[in-house]
Amino acid sequence: MEIYTDGACSGNPGPGGWGALLRFGEHVKELCGGEAAGTTNNRMELTAAIEALESLKRPMPVRLHTDSTYVRDGIRSWLPRWKRNGWQTAARQPVKNADLWQRLDQAVARHDVEWLWVKGHSGDPGNERADALANLGMANARGTL
């Protein structure tokens, strides 16, 4: 399974959207959604990955492509330490977006996920489509479509 995810926000915080492109052989599925106000780009990036992984009906190997270093570094480096520290940072502050990190941790546990970083807006077709879906999700949430 190949998954491309992206988040978008107009203002930070502000209205936002998320998008995911899922490919399994010849099958393609597109997902998107958003929040009308008060969200952040990081929350939308996390939500895109969560929604994509939660949409899978059975456990499987996944190659998840994201242009978010926040998501990639968080899941690969920071998450185990946060869990050990009771969802506090090294500076003993509450982890931002802990609710979404906990959901992502649960969604990842069902699958064998390889996290891949892709440079955003660089012409990668999967990333460009995920970006378009995130913007569509934001437009739908704002009621501008």
Side-chain angles (χ1 to χ4, degrees), residues 53-130:
L53 291 170
E54 287 180 349
S55 76
L56 301 176
K57 297 193 185 333
R58 61 180 171 80
M60 65 179 59
V62 174
R63 292 171 40 95
L64 196 146
H65 305 257
T66 178
D67 62 7
S68 170
T69 56
Y70 174 70
V71 171
R72 185 204 56 194
D73 292 347
I75 200 71
R76 292 169 82 193
S77 301
W78 309 330
L79 188 68
R81 198 169 33 241
W82 290 338
K83 287 168 65 174
R84 280 193 311 271
N85 292 341
W87 294 98
Q88 290 189 349
T89 66
R92 303 264 184 240
Q93 299 298 313
V95 170
K96 290 181 181 174
N97 305 313
D99 59 326
L100 293 178
W101 283 112
Q102 290 165 0
R103 257 183 82 193
L104 182 59
D105 188 38
Q106 289 177 344
V108 167
R110 293 185 58 227
H111 307 286
D112 177 18
V113 182
E114 179 182 1
W115 293 90
L116 303 164
W117 182 78
V118 60
K119 184 176 180 176
H121 309 288
S122 64
D124 181 289
N127 178 257
E128 295 294 337
R129 184 61 190 152

